[in-house]
Amino acid sequence: MEAFKSIANPLSSFFFICILLLSANAASAKTHYHDFVIQATPVKRLCKTHNTITVNGQFPGPTLEVNNGDTLVVNVVNKARYNVTIHWHGVRQMRTGWADGPEFVTQCPIRPGKSYTYQFTIQGQEGTLWWHAHSSWLRATVYGALIIHPKEGESYPFVKPKRETPIMLGEWWDTNPIDVVRRATRTGAAPNVSDAYTINGQPGDLYKCSSKDTTTVHVDTGETNLLRVINAALNQQLFFTVANHKLTVVGADASYVKPFTTSVLMLGPGQTTDVLIKADQQPAKYYMAARAYASAQGAPFDNTTTTAILEYKTSSCSLNCVKTNPVSPSLPAYNDTATATAFTTKFRSPRKVEVPTDIDENLFFTVGLGLNNCPRGARSRNCQGPNGTRFTASMNNVSFVLPSNFSLLQAHHQGIPGVFSTDFPAKPPVKFDYTGNVSRSLWQPIRGTKLYKLKYGARVQVVLQGTSIFTAENHPIHLHGYDFYIIAEGFGNFNPKRDAAKFNLVDPPLRNTASVPVKGWAVIRFVADNPGVWLMHCHLDVHIGWGLGMAFIVENGVSELESLEAPPVDLPVC
């Protein structure tokens, strides 16, 4: 009996401690309630006032701050004249796919005058994410930061910064962006490029009528700040730098990374990068600046530069800085793929990670643009793409079409037939020289709402292969509901025999958006442990509108905790 006691007591103590720890974690987790009112608000930029769609009258919208483990409850009321949804970009949404937000994928849109409450819990994520509209081009102005701090009592895996500043890079049209995309949809041509880039909603000193509202970030000499940089631009990868200062990258897409130092960042739309910046220069004003990384040869792009100011708060600077211009930075050339690649290939997880190795689903997806021949009987004004065509885009030669009567998740959950098929191809229907001269017969994809089905727990590898149909460019591919490991990237056509040797199965970075190199490829892996319907698409909004997307159905597992939750009662109806 005594021997039994000596074994039992440590065991019971261990279980008692575990229960206390679980209870403490549960007690420290909070629920945050927010109201988002989507409404038209007068916003003045570039000398003109526009009736701009905003959240709570703010542009950019509110910054939400939570701790890992907290729950968000956000009631969205649509007082605008457009349909709207909100996507919580990068949030895993474990079993809460109904709160993910992409229009006609996980929900029908919130109609004007209606509302919907998003409710979800942050699980195991820390760092910087963001939220944005996922309906037409409302994302141009409907977006904001989502900051996830460590659990209470826990700390960053780096020295705590003196202060933290979200840096939201955006794109601004000097007109209604919804009109821009509607005109492009009607004509089949590429939409007009933006008129300005912005930092925290402001274009900065280099644009007309913008200097007095330029974003300013104050620092004290010697202090270290955490900049949470988010590319919220609609259609453009961006370089970002701060004059005369080094940036130490410590996180990306709400995952920590092995720290590395750089003078320039490159972010695709959707990506976030957390950097530490030390105020170790002569007290003065220094420009922060962002401009395009434009990888598509010959394609028009906005070649302007947005600026904010990093200003040292000292008496000497206060007296002298007013009279002097901020120090200007050096930015890479617009087409500097070497700098972009050097940056994206530096990312590593902080330590060895468990990368899926025995692969159940080995998928190969081509991603790129195409051209549709002018439909029979159509007028030339509706076919203003190159040589009288209409622009299109596809994955594996399927141009993705969203349904309009039901959401894909609703159709899947309720077994509604005829909304989608599950025959999305696991590899391209035709093998070709993806990054070479592509035969014209391959330029025209088929249209369809095709999904790919994954069993719960499947270990998945996806090769994302860029193509040079019409033009090659860097594509930021975002997967909803999941983080994934980027185990390799390279140029040319992916060759499994040659390129498998490059796979990093030790410490690859964990991301939610991968920049597929221009005329190149990236390989990602993940475990399908989140049931639902999950969109995978290019985060250049012009490309998703043209059909550069697909969706995975991840089936339920065996237990309730491996199954999709029931839909909320206020889920919008089509």
Side-chain angles (χ1 to χ4, degrees):
M1 192 71 181
E2 290 301 314
F4 177 74
K5 275 185 186 175
S6 66
I7 296 170
N9 285 342
L11 277 175
S12 59
S13 299
F14 171 75
F15 287 124
F16 181 66
I17 291 165
C18 284
I19 289 164
L20 282 178
L21 286 172
L22 286 170
S23 301
N25 278 339
S28 66
K30 295 185 174 68
T31 300
H32 304 260
Y33 296 90
H34 296 275
D35 289 307
F36 275 17
V37 179
I38 313 293
Q39 61 192 38
T41 304
V43 174
K44 187 174 184 179
R45 298 290 185 275
L46 308 182
C47 315
K48 277 166 65 178
T49 299
H50 294 278
N51 234 7
T52 300
I53 306 303
T54 65
V55 172
N56 299 349
Q58 300 174 42
F59 171 66
T63 293
L64 305 184
E65 296 196 49
V66 299
N67 293 82
N68 181 5
D70 287 356
T71 295
L72 270 163
V73 181
V74 184
N75 181 44
V76 177
V77 179
N78 186 5
K79 292 188 176 179
R81 59 191 175 106
Y82 304 110
N83 294 334
V84 73
T85 65
I86 301 292
H87 169 52
W88 314 92
H89 187 108
V91 173
R92 286 289 323 266
Q93 297 290 359
M94 299 301 294
R95 302 178 55 232
T96 52
W98 306 105
D100 189 44
E103 182 179 58
F104 295 116
V105 177
T106 60
Q107 67 167 98
C108 295
I110 306 167
R111 305 290 185 187
K114 303 292 185 182
S115 65
Y116 177 48
T117 300
Y118 294 88
Q119 180 166 337
F120 53 91
T121 300
I122 305 292
Q123 299 184 45
Q125 295 181 285
E126 292 177 16
T128 305
L129 295 175
W130 62 302
W131 57 264
H132 61 80
H134 212 299
S135 182
S136 185
W137 272 23
L138 288 184
R139 179 163 81 80
T141 55
V142 178
Y143 61 81
L146 173 54
I147 295 169
I148 307 168
H149 299 287
K151 291 181 179 178
E152 284 190 16
E154 297 183 8
S155 58
Y156 299 128
F158 45 82
V159 176
K160 191 172 193 277
K162 177 77 181 293
R163 67 185 94 206
E164 305 179 8
T165 310
I167 301 291
M168 298 208 75
L169 311 178
E171 241 176 324
W172 177 264
W173 276 261
D174 202 13
T175 186
N176 181 352
I178 301 295
D179 291 342
V180 174
V181 68
R182 285 180 175 173
R183 189 180 308 115
T185 303
R186 190 171 61 251
T187 63
N192 291 346
V193 299
S194 55
D195 298 290
Y197 299 113
T198 57
I199 297 178
N200 291 352
Q202 295 294 342
D205 287 356
L206 306 184
Y207 298 90
K208 59 186 180 182
C209 307
S210 301
S211 290
K212 72 179 179 65
D213 295 312
T214 296
T215 297
T216 300
V217 176
H218 291 104
V219 291
D220 287 322
T221 296
E223 77 178 19
T224 297
N225 281 11
L226 177 64
L227 303 182
R228 300 177 176 273
V229 188
I230 300 164
N231 186 352
L234 222 65
N235 291 317
Q236 192 61 63
Q237 291 88 347
L238 293 167
F239 287 121
F240 173 83
T241 192
V242 182
N244 291 16
H245 289 73
K246 291 289 188 187
L247 305 170
T248 301
V249 178
V250 292
D253 293 0
S255 291
Y256 296 117
V257 301
K258 201 168 285 179
F260 66 91
T261 302
T262 180
S263 59
V264 64
L265 314 180
M266 194 288 286
L267 298 90
Q271 292 183 320
T272 72
T273 307
D274 291 348
V275 297
L276 297 174
I277 181 170
K278 188 164 187 183
D280 55 5
Q281 298 299 301
Q282 187 73 22
K285 289 181 178 180
Y286 297 87
Y287 272 133
M288 300 174 163
R291 76 176 184 192
Y293 164 47
S295 60
Q297 197 171 355
F301 66 95
D302 178 350
N303 64 1
T304 62
T305 302
T306 180
T307 56
I309 296 170
L310 185 77
E311 182 175 341
Y312 281 64
K313 289 195 307 178
T314 63
S315 56
S316 62
C317 185
S318 298
L319 295 170
N320 299 322
C321 291
V322 175
K323 304 169 192 168
T324 56
N325 291 326
V327 178
S328 291
S330 173
L331 278 157
Y334 298 115
N335 62 351
D336 190 345
T337 291
T339 293
T341 304
F343 177 70
T344 58
T345 53
K346 278 182 185 167
F347 285 84
R348 297 284 185 277
S349 284
R351 59 192 66 82
K352 190 178 188 307
V353 292
E354 287 188 30
V355 185
T357 49
D358 298 323
I359 300 300
D360 303 305
E361 296 277 2
N362 207 332
L363 307 175
F364 189 104
F365 291 174
T366 56
V367 298
L369 304 188
L371 297 173
N372 275 334
N373 294 333
C374 197
R376 192 186 300 275
R379 298 180 177 183
S380 58
R381 70 185 183 201
N382 301 123
C383 299
Q384 294 181 30
N387 301 316
T389 60
R390 292 178 59 83
F391 274 110
T392 186
S394 66
M395 297 179 78
N396 277 359
N397 206 45
V398 179
S399 188
F400 191 60
V401 179
L402 289 171
S404 56
N405 294 328
F406 301 96
S407 73
L408 295 172
L409 185 58
Q410 187 183 5
H412 163 61
H413 183 69
Q414 298 177 7
I416 301 168
V419 178
F420 62 83
S421 61
T422 55
D423 56 346
F424 185 86
K427 60 181 189 293
V430 178
K431 194 174 179 182
F432 58 97
D433 181 2
Y434 307 113
T435 54
N437 290 321
V438 181
S439 164
R440 284 285 179 132
S441 63
L442 295 166
W443 284 37
Q444 194 155 315
I446 61 165
R447 286 167 54 82
T449 310
K450 297 174 181 287
L451 279 57
Y452 193 90
K453 194 174 278 191
L454 297 171
K455 289 196 178 306
Y456 184 90
R459 293 156 296 193
V460 184
Q461 173 176 295
V462 186
V463 176
L464 297 164
Q465 173 70 61
T467 67
S468 57
I469 295 175
F470 183 68
T471 186
E473 65 182 296
N474 182 295
H475 293 279
I477 302 297
H478 172 48
L479 175 59
H480 289 231
Y482 285 87
D483 289 325
F484 47 72
Y485 290 111
I486 304 176
I487 61 170
E489 64 173 74
F491 293 97
N493 298 332
F494 176 77
N495 181 323
K497 290 177 184 169
R498 178 192 66 217
D499 294 325
K502 302 174 186 170
F503 287 1
N504 176 5
L505 302 178
V506 179
D507 59 354
L510 192 64
R511 305 295 299 262
N512 63 54
T513 305
S515 288
V516 179
V518 57
K519 287 194 175 182
W521 50 268
V523 182
I524 66 171
R525 288 186 181 179
F526 64 96
V527 177
D529 60 357
N530 191 11
V533 175
W534 304 107
L535 186 64
M536 182 189 230
H537 66 99
C538 182
H539 220 271
L540 305 176
D541 268 28
V542 59
H543 289 181
I544 179 64
W546 286 340
L548 212 172
M550 57 81 65
F552 288 108
I553 293 177
V554 179
E555 297 178 322
N556 284 337
V558 292
S559 70
E560 185 184 354
L561 292 178
E562 295 177 351
S563 302
L564 178 70
E565 290 182 359
V569 291
D570 64 336
L571 187 72
V573 293
C574 292

